[in-house]
Amino acid sequence: MPEVDDELNQKNNKENKDPNYWRSFKDLFRDTSLIESNQSEFAEGVKDDFEPSRLSGISRRKFLALVSASAALAGVGCSDYRSKGHIIPYNKMPEEIVVGNPNYYASTSTVCTHSCGILIKTREGRPIKVSGNPDHPVSKGKTCAKCEASILSLYDPERLQFPVKKNHNGEFKKYDWKPIDDEILDLLNKVGDKQIAFVSHSVISPTGKKVLDDFAKKYPNTKIYSYELFNEQNRNSAWKKCYGSDAAPLIKWNDAKIIVGLESDFLGTDGDKVETARLFAEGREVHNLEKFNRLYMVEGSLSVTGMNSDYRFRLRPDAQYEFVMCLLNEVSKSGVAIPIDAEILANYSLNNFAKKYSLSNKNLKLLVKDLVNNRGTSIVYAGRTLPEQVHIAVNLLNEALGNSKLYRDDSINVNVLPQSHYEEFEELVSQINSGNVGVLIHYDSNPVFHLPHDLGYTEALNKVPVIISFSGSQNDSSVLGNYTLPINHDFESWGDAKTRTGFYSMQQPVIDPIFDTRQKEAILLTWLKGKPVVYDDMIYHKYLMDNWQNNIYPSLNSKMSFKEFWVAALHDGVVIFDESPQSYGSFNKNVLTELQTKSKTLSDYLVVLRESYQAGDGRFLNNGWMLEFPHPISKITWDNYAAVSHTTAKELGIESNDKILVEVGNRKLEIPAFIQPGAADKTITIELGFGRKTIGVVGTDVGFDANALRSKSGGISHWIYKANKVSKGSGSHKLVSTMEHTMFAEALTEDAAKKRKIIQEGTVKEYRKNPHFINTENPEKMESLYNPHAYPGVKWGMAVDLNKCIGCGECVIACNVENNIPIVGKDQVAVSREMEWLRVDRYYSGTIDEPITSNQLMLCQQCDNAPCENVCPVAATTHSPDGLNQMIYNRCVGTRYCSNNCPYKVRRFNFFNYRDHFKNSYQQSHLFSLVNNPEVTVRSRGVMEKCTFCIQRIMDARSEAIKEHRPLKGSDVRTACQDACNTEAIKFGDMNDKESEFYKKYRTHELGYYVLEDVNTRPNVTYIAKLRNTESEEV
Amino acid sequence: MTKDYSVELALVEGNPPLRELDDVISAPIDSRPSHKYHIALAITGSLLLIGAICVGLTFYYGIGMWGNNIPVAWAFGITNFVFWVGIGHAGTLISAILYLLRQHWRTGIARFAEAMTIFAVICAGLFPIIHVGRPWLAGYLIPYPNQHSIWPNFISPLVWDVFAVSTYLTVSLVFWYVGLIPDFATLRDRATNKIKKTIYSVFSLGWRHSNRHWVHYEKVYMILAGLATPLVLSVHTVVSWDFAAAILPGWHSTIFPPYFVAGAIFSGFAMVSTVLIFVRKVFDMEHIITIDHLEKMNKIILLTGSMVGYSYIIEWFMGWYSGSPFELFVTLNRAFGPYAWGYWIMVSCNVFFPQLFWFKKIRRSIPITLIIVILVNVGMWFERFVIIASSLSRDFLPTSWHYFKPTLVDLGILFGSFGLFFTLILLFAKTLPVISITEIKGVIQGSQPSHGGEHES
Amino acid sequence: MNRNQNSLFGVAALFDSPDDILNAAKKVQADGYKNYDVNTPYPIHGMDSAMGFKASKMGYVTLFFGFAAATFILAFMWWALAVSYPLVIGGKPFFALPAFVPITFEFTVLTGVLSTVFGMIAVVFNLPFNNHPIHDTNYMKSVSSDKYGLVIEAEDPLFEENKVVELLKSLGSKNIELVYNPEEEKFQIFQPRFLVFLAIIAVLTAGSTYITLNKFMYLPPFDFMLNQNKGVSQEESSFFYNKREMRTPVAGTVAREYIPYAYTGETDPKEVLSNPLLPTKKVLELGQKKFLTFCSPCHGNYADGKSRLMGQFPPGPTLHSQRIINFSDGQIYNVITNGFSIMPSYKRQITRDERWAIVNYIRVLQRAQNPKPSDFTEIKEINKESGKNVPN
């Protein structure tokens, strides 16, 4: 309706033009200011707070826009898939392999003359761990640290990978086997009537010996010289003189009540330690006090055996003879018939002797009393380094006391090939010098390093036209030769071994040769086949089987077919049959003439050479694990040293680390000294096997070669020499150890271990009198602010029986291998950054001359109230439902707070990526990395780590149990250290299983205590206090 | 003492007109830097560079570049951290606690002290990050939802540290900035240069000196002061818990919180005077930062120094009284063990020398003051070092004992942190008013109504 | 900018001494002006009462946010350590209250401070406000240095320019200035410069994120130990010639618990092994499982040769033939192990126990095909017991 609209408009217009209504006088009189103000909608000054114009440059909107846009694009940024490489399965899976599961192979280690039976753990055909073969009559499931560590030599990137030949300007150049074989074959055939000399370590393989015999058949001028750096020759020859048979008998250590060790480290390096330690520990069983033995030790410097002795006399080794004679005298006085004229004995008075060498007369008397009272159950045992004379006297003493009852009649050591004497080597050298030796073969041996230098062997070598060295890697001898032929590692080799009567040990390879290497027997066999030379990698395998089928198997008249027999033999790793040891005759009185010599006061310095716990005879000097393995007594790594008593040090005016100059005959050696508590005065004890010149990066410049002091004619014996001069040397050499040596230094720190109840000890008598003499409240009963968390199901715990722990440290190496512990090197040990999860703490108490030594295995105590967990800011270490203190590597940022708060200081920190840091990433080479346990994380730098109670083994056991639908039992799991412990000192089990032997016999034993109980960390590792079998009641 | 210093004596000598104050205070900002300044900057800068290089090495190779070992897993890193946090405490104390106590003399030095707090805390904050083995994962200490679906361990004193230090830094910054806003406004209004003007306007947020604002502003300033006071005490308490909450003999001790706080203020004041003595000379502000200021600070140094000395004595007492062989051993070992040298440096610098301040002459003698305060700084650094290194190096099991020796990298990082600190100080002195223009105006004579409006509280 | 074109903001007067400004403020307040402000270079004691302010309420903000923060953080820590991911830490309870106190305190202070300051500046003061009319005026310059100023805004209801000017003069101000509103400058949100800036930022963020997450994080040592240098099953090896980390055992060696099968390769050995497994329920179930997996494709689910591969593949024979029924367990085992004519060896796929289990299961199938009468009665018995009845 338009007109209406019009009307409205007109109306409005009218109003505008002519307002009938006025609101104020201003309005009425048309005040301009009002009209003005009406133009704007709002009154002056009234403003909208949210005017965009009021927003500053970067407005919220803009900001949000910016954030969202970048967030969106960031999202785009995180869209990528990283290739993780190919998966390569078997195309023909071997029947025995289930991928991811280990296989075990029984074999034999030949790293030393004892040839332990070993069990090699492999994963997909790669050896990753060595332990003892439980079926082996000697090793009984145990083995030694060197054996465990030998796996490192298999994966050593510096192994010789192909044959090499020295060219005219003296460098070794790579060759193929074929031409080398041909050349050598020609040389052998051309040798004519000249001698072909083999220089070998002692041969322990019957079949290996047969190969040599075959070789000798084809080349009649072949002569074989075998040696060991340390051998039983003195003991055996003495025995032969006394009883007529070749080898001294083995001892029933487990039946001995009284053991008197004379300079014999039978728990360390003297004899087959694996067996001896086991038998000895049987006499240290707290649950059977009747059987408890008493160990007297008479030695020049502290040894592992000495650490475990109840009474210890420090005596310079050249006085041992006099000492034995005194004992004979005393014993005869107390009515034991000694078949020697009295006036000879009369010269030897124990009292004077005690005075002369300031030994405790009281204890000596006690020793004599014990010997007399325990006739037939006591044994006096002289060290292999002592001269023949001492051994004869000792044999006489044992004979007189009727201790021959303790000689074992079930088995005895045998030599497949008797070792040569130094005279024979002199013969060899003269042969060489007179040009009668055409070819010299170093048969996996290193005579240049091992033989006494004054033999002139090294010099003689340039007179040999052809020197062939069979060796895993270049060594001091091979570099002087023309050819070096790389040979297989143990784990790549076939073989057999015979070291004792009653059984053979079998050796089978667990991996094909990694490099272009051959087994030493195989090389010879190939040559024997003559031209054209064709190598067949089965050659020795076949030869071995033939030899067994034709020669050995028939002699054993087994019921099985040979096929079965052979499979069984390889499976068990040992062939046991009954073979009675050579019987020995009655004591031959004529030897007594050897005991005529008079005694005299001994005043000059004495040099005693011992076998190294770490480097063996030098074969392990390129093995990082062994070199970083803390010396059982001094805890020194990466070096050998001259151990001297502190009085001697004063005389020489030296401190530890200062070099001393030792002169024997015209032979000199400068070597750093170390003040060894309990060392005899004027006695300088040095370990051999160090200071090799030609060796890989790891062993370069490690230690000092004390072979330089030895003489072909020997001193008092081949290992004991009178020094004509010992003086302060020039400068010093830092010896690094994993423990500070401050114990005796300050009043503050004296006997700290006992004052702090870290070590708690008693004597058998005390224990008999009061089984609860360890005054300690049971920590389970100790008060706590919070009530403890419950651990239903399995709760893992460990018990360490300090009576059995001899402090040898095998467990340390076993742990290294199992848990991928890196080698850190001397510089890092020097600043106390060693990575071993396990350590054997060694505490001295008493005086520096007569120290009482206590060993204690120290590892993560898996505390219930773990202090480390409280302080970790990122919860990288927490408790598992089965009571373990876990370490989560990937969560760890490395604040190291946990280590600070750990009262036991068992946590280890990767200050560097040690695999990269050590010897320019030697450990990161692909080959080396194969040694690592696939089940265990390889830790990177900046991460804290520690003992896990072998969680990977626990998990294996658990999955087994689940597979078999049965509950997991404590006894299903054995930790690596437990496996390795020769004396079964380590027990592991379930603390909630109140019926288990672990709980009843160890966890709740009245001698059990925790370290640092009053800190109330509630550890899960129990220590069974050590009992010393002394006459007095207090230690 | 309940004297009101604003009445007792002039805080600003000569009582200049307000505009002159502006000129004096903003002189360093307006003028071009002298070559003295350049030399100073060069020195601190190169120190900073050394530090940066050493940190780089640490990041690349790992903590192994330091002297740390097992057992001494903490050494220089944490020592420096605690040292710097301590330095930081003086600033907040001066600006907050003295503010609450109506100590008007504080105005001359408050701004500077606060700046130092912030820089010191920045230095301190770096160390926890660079001392960890895997710095790139340091974020794990912060609670954020992550793929591990795991949270930090709030039980750990280190997490407390993260909260305490970051809170402290933030609050100090806010406090400082709130104080700066009016000054920015003043600078804005006297600025002639266009760029400067815009920058100042941005930071002044368009402050108008409006009394409708002042009323809230003063209230909030007091609230901040009120909150900062317990905070500053809590921060060093928490830091001391890093040690007190551990079970290590020599750390596990209830006296640590007061002991550390006293020490912190002690070292903080020492550092403030050290720097002020130079600043007042270089920027000739002797009449604003007067000798009286220094004397008053020396008195506080004397007091806190004695408190620190007292806690040293208590440690001996506790060593004996605890009856724990470990505690006793640690106490003896500190004084006579391998780290005895450090211990006696600490005792002489922290306890003996400050006692000289009993004499008014020495309190008012600038050279001697300078020497003593520098000694105090040295001593306080050694205090932390001794507590950390000597306790760790010989703890429960004698077999794991080992001595700590610093490496060059350790030292480099220590000097680097000083480089960073002083570089920041120099930059600050050249870019911002080192004295609160507003506050100083508020307290000079005749700045308030003569009959005096009643003091609002 | 030329201010005179804009509306008047207010009249500003400068005073020289704090006393004057205080009096001025008192007077202006007394005259009942509301929209006026006093600007002084520093707070003047007594000014708030002069201007008739009440005490500031900022404290309550602090209080509220402080408490809120405390409750939140405490609840959060409880949730994180006791609910979301409970972990046993040092034998302490999951909710270890004493240990949570420090963080609670710190967080309280932090939130208190931030909320208060933010509240004051942004909410109460409505700052930043850089284009307030009095900025850049001579008045502002003076008051921020040494003068004391008072401005009465035009918005005030009582505002009358001349009156106000008079008033201020009377109060003793020597310097009076009219302040005008500035003209409003406009921002548009999308300046090209800003957009470019935005793009650059975005690209940078995306790039850096990509590098960090996909490249950087896989470099040692940042790689979370992803690259383990150890031999892992089925991994590619750069060392061994056939690129295989997994080695095959040496020919002729004997692994523990694994005596090699004596008759390998012999299709019809003279003597064979005897079955070590008894046909227990467990064994038969295992046998069935493996039979259906490995055997049924050719021999059929019931071993009757009717298989799903019928026709596409040489058919597997029925296992119910008299010949096979007469086979000894050992012979069947031998066939599985060594294979038979075109049937391959299954020793790699099937473990030894599984093979014996299959043998047992085959026996069951054979028995099922031609049962003895006694079986029926037995089955009846069983069914009676189990209570279900099947047709005979």
Side-chain angles (χ1 to χ4, degrees), chain A residues 146-345:
Chain A
K146 298 189 185 69
C147 231
E148 296 256 8
S150 64
I151 191 168
L152 207 53
S153 327
L154 170 67
Y155 294 120
D156 182 352
E158 293 182 290
R159 280 175 67 186
L160 193 55
Q161 311 186 0
F162 38 75
V164 291
K165 180 190 177 190
K166 193 186 267 174
N167 63 11
H168 51 286
N169 44 21
E171 305 143 352
F172 283 94
K173 287 265 167 287
K174 175 176 181 182
Y175 254 67
D176 287 346
W177 279 99
K178 186 98 181 62
I180 282 216
D181 283 339
D182 290 334
E183 268 181 57
I184 292 175
L185 208 46
D186 298 340
L187 292 166
L188 287 175
N189 299 336
K190 276 211 288 335
V191 79
D193 57 358
K194 289 199 172 170
Q195 194 184 88
I196 300 176
F198 279 78
V199 178
S200 164
H201 281 295
S202 59
V203 177
I204 50 177
S205 157
T207 315
K209 176 161 184 306
K210 188 167 180 301
V211 174
L212 291 171
D213 296 345
D214 294 0
F215 192 88
K217 261 197 220 76
K218 180 153 185 211
Y219 301 99
N221 317 350
T222 304
K223 197 162 182 327
I224 293 155
Y225 305 84
S226 72
Y227 72 91
E228 286 297 333
L229 185 56
F230 288 86
N231 55 43
E232 301 280 320
Q233 280 173 356
N234 290 350
R235 181 178 289 134
N236 288 344
S237 60
W239 183 262
K240 200 167 176 58
K241 283 183 179 167
C242 298
Y243 295 95
S245 70
D246 297 336
L250 302 160
I251 310 295
K252 298 179 189 161
W253 300 99
N254 46 341
D255 294 344
K257 296 285 296 170
I258 304 297
I259 302 171
V260 184
L262 308 180
E263 195 63 28
S264 166
D265 187 7
F266 56 82
L267 293 179
T269 51
D270 190 352
D272 190 341
K273 178 246 176 181
V274 175
E275 184 184 40
T276 316
R278 187 179 69 242
L279 296 175
F280 174 80
E282 283 180 31
R284 291 278 160 172
E285 181 57 70
V286 274
H287 300 101
N288 182 359
L289 287 182
E290 299 322 305
K291 224 166 167 293
F292 233 72
N293 63 31
R294 173 176 293 169
L295 172 58
Y296 292 87
M297 194 64 192
V298 188
E299 60 182 355
S301 180
L302 196 56
S303 70
V304 167
T305 319
M307 291 199 298
N308 292 282
S309 58
D310 302 300
Y311 291 100
R312 185 170 174 280
F313 306 93
R314 54 192 197 107
L315 180 66
R316 41 188 300 153
D318 56 351
Q320 291 280 6
Y321 172 65
E322 191 181 352
F323 178 66
V324 184
M325 294 308 278
C326 295
L327 286 184
L328 280 165
N329 186 9
E330 290 295 319
V331 170
S332 69
K333 279 199 207 136
S334 50
V336 177
I338 305 287
I340 304 189
D341 0 1
E343 66 269 13
I344 295 177
L345 283 185

Side-chain angles (χ1 to χ4, degrees), chain A residues 160 164-167 170-172 199 227 440-450 457-458 461 466-487 692-695:
Chain A
L160 193 55
V164 291
K165 180 190 177 190
K166 193 186 267 174
N167 63 11
E171 305 143 352
F172 283 94
V199 178
Y227 72 91
L440 179 59
I441 297 178
H442 292 140
Y443 198 58
D444 190 16
S445 66
N446 190 1
V448 169
F449 178 71
H450 286 138
Y457 183 84
T458 318
L461 284 183
V466 183
I467 303 174
I468 305 165
S469 308
F470 292 30
S471 174
S473 57
Q474 290 284 23
N475 61 30
D476 313 68
S477 312
S478 65
V479 286
L480 300 174
N482 319 63
Y483 302 91
T484 309
L485 308 182
I487 58 171
R692 271 175 60 181
K693 304 283 169 297
T694 311
I695 194 163

Side-chain angles (χ1 to χ4, degrees), chain A residues 756 832-833 871 897 901 941, chain B residues 59 66 70 156 242 247 396:
Chain A
R756 297 177 166 203
S832 180
R833 292 173 182 173
V871 295
Y897 200 174
N901 213 29
R941 71 117 145 152
Chain B
F59 279 6
W66 299 6
I70 306 293
S156 163
D242 285 350
I247 65 170
F396 294 94

Side-chain angles (χ1 to χ4, degrees), chain A residues 746 756 830-833 841 869-873 889-890 892-897 900-901 905 911-912 941, chain B residues 59 61 64 66 68-70 73-74 131 133-134 148 153 156 159 242 246-247 329 394-396 399 401-402:
Chain A
E746 316 158 12
R756 297 177 166 203
V831 288
S832 180
R833 292 173 182 173
D841 287 350
E869 293 174 0
N870 294 327
V871 295
C872 175
Y889 301 128
N890 254 347
C892 176
V893 301
T895 65
R896 308 187 293 292
Y897 200 174
N900 289 345
N901 213 29
K905 289 286 174 286
F911 284 94
F912 289 111
R941 71 117 145 152
Chain B
F59 279 6
Y61 291 107
W66 299 6
N68 299 35
N69 57 37
I70 306 293
W74 283 358
H131 104 287
R134 307 203 289 170
H148 305 120
N153 172 14
S156 163
V159 179
D242 285 350
I247 65 170
F329 172 80
R394 291 190 159 192
D395 66 337
F396 294 94
T399 46
W401 291 356
H402 199 275

Side-chain angles (χ1 to χ4, degrees), chain C residues 83-105:
Chain C
V83 179
S84 153
Y85 200 145
L87 285 167
V88 178
I89 290 169
K92 287 207 165 69
F94 293 128
F95 183 65
L97 183 58
F100 295 165
V101 171
I103 291 181
T104 314
F105 172 79

